[in-house]
Amino acid sequence: MTDLAIVDAYIAGWNARDADAVLATLTDDGTYQDPTLPNPVSGEAFKANMQGLWSAFPDLNFELVSKGATGPDSAAFEWMMRGTNSGSMNGLPPTGKTVEVPGADFVALRDGKIESVNGYFDGGAVPRQLGLDIIVQPSQIGPFQFGRSSSVRTGKKNPPGAFSITQLEAIDDEAVEKIRAQSRDTMIEMLQTEGFIGAVAAVIGNRMLTISAWEDADAPRQLMKEGVHVEAMGSMMRGEVANNGFTSVFVPERINPYLLRCDNCGMMHRGPEEGAKCDCGAALPDRPAYW
């Protein structure tokens, strides 16, 4: 098979979403590297990478824009990747949005097969096109540490009657991602749990914190009976994911009335009823949820 024919076979395997066909174009020790990977992958790791992408974008397709030999044992090809995010990506629900990302691969060849693939493209293009935030920040400056956060809200407007707080120190970066995945699945369960109002989760280094708002102090106990949260607690107690941690439930001593600003005159109002008007005569905006 010629050098350019093996390129065609490689792309055809991707477009057929056939990991074995892609791997068949590589040497036994062939590797793949792109901006989303910290290190080159091969074999089963490369296969898992492909399957993860196809899971998030089941209709993924590469249009081969150009190709050519760059030496006696090397080639390069330009492509346009397109796909619709109709599957979960990194544990997130599908957005239904379509992405279009240009890129180029440079391959080294040996004995009629691909020895290495080095892909070049904008690693932030996919998350940007899906409406995901890309934040560049330091991990720590002096006494300040920085991280990532997320929230889920039911839209209930009643004041919380209790807050549950969980804090864990993950063993390592791999454990951080495992706990994050468990937390996302737990939050999805919580949306269907009676008495749940909302939750905020934060990851700062290996420190992980979740604060959940509930209608009363008994409501969080439902999570201890079954489901993802029980499985996550099992991982914690077996020492698989965390070095230390604690959980607790707090009942607020006082929650003050919501303050709402009049869009017309700027005056603040304390605890107005739904549909109330400002002294200036303008209707006040709807009060948002507490949590």
Side-chain angles (χ1 to χ4, degrees):
M1 187 178 291
T2 66
D3 291 349
L4 297 184
I6 199 67
V7 166
D8 289 336
Y10 174 81
I11 290 293
W14 271 98
N15 286 338
R17 289 172 283 282
D18 185 341
D20 290 330
V22 174
L23 291 177
T25 67
L26 272 65
T27 60
D28 291 341
D29 58 351
T31 61
Y32 173 84
Q33 172 80 67
D34 72 29
T36 69
L37 296 170
N39 299 294
V41 293
S42 61
E44 290 301 311
F46 184 21
K47 188 174 185 177
N49 176 267
M50 289 185 273
Q51 291 172 336
L53 191 57
W54 292 327
S55 177
F57 299 90
D59 63 345
L60 191 74
N61 179 268
F62 287 88
E63 177 190 348
L64 195 58
V65 178
S66 65
K67 62 182 178 181
T70 56
D73 296 306
S74 61
F77 51 99
E78 183 184 5
W79 45 259
M80 179 67 72
M81 183 188 81
R82 298 182 179 89
T84 302
N85 179 217
S86 55
S88 175
M89 185 175 73
N90 296 327
L92 298 172
T95 64
K97 294 183 178 180
T98 297
V99 300
E100 186 172 280
V101 181
D105 286 358
F106 293 80
V107 299
L109 300 138
R110 187 179 79 222
D111 299 329
K113 288 196 172 186
I114 297 172
E115 184 175 34
S116 66
V117 181
N118 285 295
Y120 295 88
F121 56 87
D122 180 358
V126 168
R128 281 198 303 271
Q129 292 181 32
L130 295 181
L132 305 177
D133 290 333
I134 302 174
I135 301 173
V136 179
Q137 63 184 11
S139 60
Q140 184 170 350
I141 298 179
F144 295 91
Q145 287 185 290
F146 304 89
R148 299 164 288 176
S149 63
S150 59
S151 70
V152 60
R153 307 172 74 178
T154 62
K156 295 178 181 177
K157 295 187 177 183
N158 47 309
F163 294 92
S164 62
I165 299 177
T166 298
Q167 179 178 293
L168 302 175
E169 181 196 345
I171 293 173
D172 51 29
D173 291 344
E174 183 178 349
V176 166
E177 294 309 313
K178 182 175 181 179
I179 295 172
R180 287 187 70 209
Q182 291 173 331
S183 296
R184 285 192 294 264
D185 290 342
T186 297
M187 286 184 177
I188 292 172
E189 282 189 348
M190 290 161 73
L191 286 169
Q192 310 302 321
T193 303
E194 185 177 353
F196 175 64
I197 295 176
V200 174
V203 181
I204 305 171
N206 281 14
R207 182 187 176 201
M208 312 189 73
L209 178 69
T210 301
I211 305 174
S212 306
W214 302 84
E215 293 179 0
D216 57 65
D218 289 328
R221 298 182 187 277
Q222 299 170 80
L223 298 178
M224 305 302 295
K225 298 177 180 179
E226 59 182 359
V228 177
H229 185 265
V230 173
E231 297 173 10
M233 286 295 295
S235 297
M236 163 69 176
M237 298 307 295
R238 290 189 297 270
E240 297 172 355
V241 294
N243 292 317
N244 55 66
F246 77 93
T247 62
S248 53
V249 175
F250 290 83
V251 176
E253 178 179 333
R254 180 180 69 253
I255 295 183
N256 292 327
Y258 227 105
L259 296 173
L260 276 181
R261 178 182 180 277
C262 174
D263 292 335
N264 183 55
C265 69
M267 181 178 292
M268 296 296 291
H269 294 259
R270 182 183 295 271
E273 298 292 332
E274 294 290 344
K277 291 187 176 182
C278 176
D279 293 342
C280 72
L284 294 176
D286 292 338
R287 180 177 67 76
Y290 271 86
W291 196 254

